[in-house]
PDB file of all heavy atoms in Angstrom:
ATOM      1  N   ILE A 523      -3.890   4.689   7.402  1.00  0.00           N
ATOM      2  CA  ILE A 523      -4.069   5.801   8.303  1.00  0.00           C
ATOM      3  C   ILE A 523      -3.111   5.720   9.452  1.00  0.00           C
ATOM      4  O   ILE A 523      -2.515   6.758   9.855  1.00  0.00           O
ATOM      5  CB  ILE A 523      -5.555   5.774   8.870  1.00  0.00           C
ATOM      6  CG1 ILE A 523      -6.509   6.099   7.719  1.00  0.00           C
ATOM      7  CG2 ILE A 523      -5.737   6.784  10.014  1.00  0.00           C
ATOM      8  CD1 ILE A 523      -7.905   6.082   8.151  1.00  0.00           C
ATOM      9  N   ALA A 524      -2.856   4.538   9.925  1.00  0.00           N
ATOM     10  CA  ALA A 524      -1.865   4.341  11.013  1.00  0.00           C
ATOM     11  C   ALA A 524      -0.487   4.860  10.560  1.00  0.00           C
ATOM     12  O   ALA A 524       0.258   5.473  11.375  1.00  0.00           O
ATOM     13  CB  ALA A 524      -1.767   2.863  11.442  1.00  0.00           C
ATOM     14  N   ASN A 525      -0.184   4.603   9.281  1.00  0.00           N
ATOM     15  CA  ASN A 525       1.081   5.069   8.812  1.00  0.00           C
ATOM     16  C   ASN A 525       1.189   6.579   8.651  1.00  0.00           C
ATOM     17  O   ASN A 525       2.232   7.177   8.850  1.00  0.00           O
ATOM     18  CB  ASN A 525       1.261   4.475   7.409  1.00  0.00           C
ATOM     19  CG  ASN A 525       2.503   3.646   7.361  1.00  0.00           C
ATOM     20  OD1 ASN A 525       3.536   4.151   7.690  1.00  0.00           O
ATOM     21  ND2 ASN A 525       2.350   2.467   6.827  1.00  0.00           N
ATOM     22  N   GLN A 526       0.070   7.212   8.318  1.00  0.00           N
ATOM     23  CA  GLN A 526       0.032   8.665   8.156  1.00  0.00           C
ATOM     24  C   GLN A 526       0.102   9.348   9.526  1.00  0.00           C
ATOM     25  O   GLN A 526       0.622  10.445   9.627  1.00  0.00           O
ATOM     26  CB  GLN A 526      -1.203   9.099   7.377  1.00  0.00           C
ATOM     27  CG  GLN A 526      -1.277   8.518   5.973  1.00  0.00           C
ATOM     28  CD  GLN A 526      -0.280   9.082   5.021  1.00  0.00           C
ATOM     29  OE1 GLN A 526       0.158  10.240   5.132  1.00  0.00           O
ATOM     30  NE2 GLN A 526       0.225   8.302   4.112  1.00  0.00           N
ATOM     31  N   THR A 527      -0.668   8.762  10.492  1.00  0.00           N
ATOM     32  CA  THR A 527      -0.868   9.463  11.757  1.00  0.00           C
ATOM     33  C   THR A 527       0.053   8.981  12.824  1.00  0.00           C
ATOM     34  O   THR A 527       0.203   9.583  13.908  1.00  0.00           O
ATOM     35  CB  THR A 527      -2.257   9.364  12.235  1.00  0.00           C
ATOM     36  OG1 THR A 527      -2.547   7.924  12.392  1.00  0.00           O
ATOM     37  CG2 THR A 527      -3.248   9.968  11.245  1.00  0.00           C
ATOM     38  N   GLY A 528       0.646   7.752  12.597  1.00  0.00           N
ATOM     39  CA  GLY A 528       1.454   7.188  13.698  1.00  0.00           C
ATOM     40  C   GLY A 528       0.618   6.530  14.777  1.00  0.00           C
ATOM     41  O   GLY A 528       1.161   6.090  15.825  1.00  0.00           O
ATOM     42  N   ARG A 529      -0.712   6.491  14.620  1.00  0.00           N
ATOM     43  CA  ARG A 529      -1.566   5.909  15.666  1.00  0.00           C
ATOM     44  C   ARG A 529      -1.903   4.493  15.316  1.00  0.00           C
ATOM     45  O   ARG A 529      -3.002   4.187  14.926  1.00  0.00           O
ATOM     46  CB  ARG A 529      -2.811   6.732  15.779  1.00  0.00           C
ATOM     47  CG  ARG A 529      -2.626   8.199  15.989  1.00  0.00           C
ATOM     48  CD  ARG A 529      -3.200   8.570  17.348  1.00  0.00           C
ATOM     49  NE  ARG A 529      -2.610   9.854  17.760  1.00  0.00           N
ATOM     50  CZ  ARG A 529      -1.968  10.012  18.938  1.00  0.00           C
ATOM     51  NH1 ARG A 529      -1.832   8.992  19.740  1.00  0.00           N
ATOM     52  NH2 ARG A 529      -1.504  11.152  19.319  1.00  0.00           N
ATOM     53  N   SER A 530      -0.922   3.612  15.485  1.00  0.00           N
ATOM     54  CA  SER A 530      -1.241   2.208  15.095  1.00  0.00           C
ATOM     55  C   SER A 530      -1.958   1.442  16.148  1.00  0.00           C
ATOM     56  O   SER A 530      -2.811   0.648  15.879  1.00  0.00           O
ATOM     57  CB  SER A 530       0.024   1.489  14.636  1.00  0.00           C
ATOM     58  OG  SER A 530       1.070   1.820  15.503  1.00  0.00           O
ATOM     59  N   LEU A 531      -1.633   1.762  17.425  1.00  0.00           N
ATOM     60  CA  LEU A 531      -2.278   0.982  18.539  1.00  0.00           C
ATOM     61  C   LEU A 531      -3.783   1.351  18.533  1.00  0.00           C
ATOM     62  O   LEU A 531      -4.611   0.405  18.606  1.00  0.00           O
ATOM     63  CB  LEU A 531      -1.659   1.433  19.848  1.00  0.00           C
ATOM     64  CG  LEU A 531      -1.991   0.546  21.038  1.00  0.00           C
ATOM     65  CD1 LEU A 531      -1.429  -0.880  20.809  1.00  0.00           C
ATOM     66  CD2 LEU A 531      -1.416   1.063  22.327  1.00  0.00           C
TER      67      LEU A 531
END
Side-chain angles (χ1 to χ4, degrees):
Chain A
I523 291 176
N525 238 309
Q526 299 289 327
T527 58
R529 303 244 163 236
S530 41
L531 195 64

